[in-house]
Amino acid sequence: MPLYNRLKEYRARLGVNQQEMGRLAGVSRQTISQIERGDYSPSVTLALKLAKLCQVSVEDIFSYEEDARNEAEK
């Protein structure tokens, strides 16, 4: 059940590096890196902060896709 994101794309549009994005969002560079790689799912609060910084909706940056097996079990 992965959470996909386009944070790297939106960060590039802002012209900031991971360090700066982390500072603006109140997290570390490592956290931004882990989100971009898909190794970390941000809290709702952090996702909202990132969307606000990028001036887009949360859904523009993050998308969630159910695993087909989980859907079949429901």
Side-chain angles (χ1 to χ4, degrees), residues 4-18 21 32-33 35-37 50 54 60-62:
Y4 297 99
N5 75 81
R6 298 171 54 198
L7 182 58
K8 185 174 184 175
E9 175 186 332
Y10 282 102
R11 181 176 56 78
R13 288 182 187 182
L14 288 176
V16 297
N17 61 27
Q18 289 177 342
M21 180 62 89
I32 299 300
S33 176
I35 293 169
E36 289 181 356
R37 287 193 323 257
L50 293 170
C54 295
D60 289 333
I61 299 176
F62 298 98

Side-chain angles (χ1 to χ4, degrees), residues 10-73:
Y10 282 102
R11 181 176 56 78
R13 288 182 187 182
L14 288 176
V16 297
N17 61 27
Q18 289 177 342
Q19 183 75 33
E20 183 68 8
M21 180 62 89
R23 186 186 67 75
L24 292 169
V27 297
S28 69
R29 177 204 60 80
Q30 290 87 346
T31 298
I32 299 300
S33 176
Q34 288 176 333
I35 293 169
E36 289 181 356
R37 287 193 323 257
D39 293 339
Y40 177 76
S41 295
S43 66
V44 172
T45 303
L46 179 53
L48 288 166
K49 282 183 185 179
L50 293 170
K52 186 172 183 178
L53 288 169
C54 295
Q55 299 178 344
V56 297
S57 70
V58 172
E59 292 85 0
D60 289 333
I61 299 176
F62 298 98
S63 63
Y64 173 78
E65 294 186 19
E66 285 278 346
D67 185 329
R69 289 176 290 161
N70 288 341
E71 283 295 311
E73 293 173 2

